[in-house]
Amino acid sequence: MDDERKSSKAGQQAAEGLREAASKDEAKNESRMGHDLAKGADRFEERSKSSDGKSAEEKQEG
């Protein structure tokens, strides 16, 4: 039982570390780009565009 608690706590600490690293990396990229990265639905749309410039919705229509 004690090992489970240690494992869980270690996992939580690792997850927190990853969140902090991702946040720092995002802030660095936003600073370098000069604007905030898209969030939520805007981010999905931005990431779904391929090299041909079409969005996921445009691809489904055509």
Side-chain angles (χ1 to χ4, degrees):
M1 184 85 140
D2 205 26
D3 287 340
E4 274 185 41
R5 260 190 249 132
K6 287 180 184 176
S7 244
S8 178
K9 193 168 193 168
Q12 289 174 346
Q13 289 174 338
E16 181 62 29
L18 287 173
R19 281 190 289 272
E20 287 178 17
S23 180
K24 286 179 184 178
D25 190 49
E26 183 174 301
K28 182 176 74 174
N29 285 331
E30 288 177 340
S31 175
R32 186 171 39 110
M33 293 170 60
H35 61 83
D36 288 352
L37 294 171
K39 306 287 189 281
D42 291 337
R43 184 179 185 104
F44 174 80
E45 188 61 31
E46 178 183 284
R47 299 292 185 266
S48 69
K49 288 186 179 179
S50 66
S51 60
D52 62 8
K54 292 183 179 179
S55 69
E57 184 179 344
E58 290 172 327
K59 291 176 189 175
Q60 288 177 350
E61 290 173 355

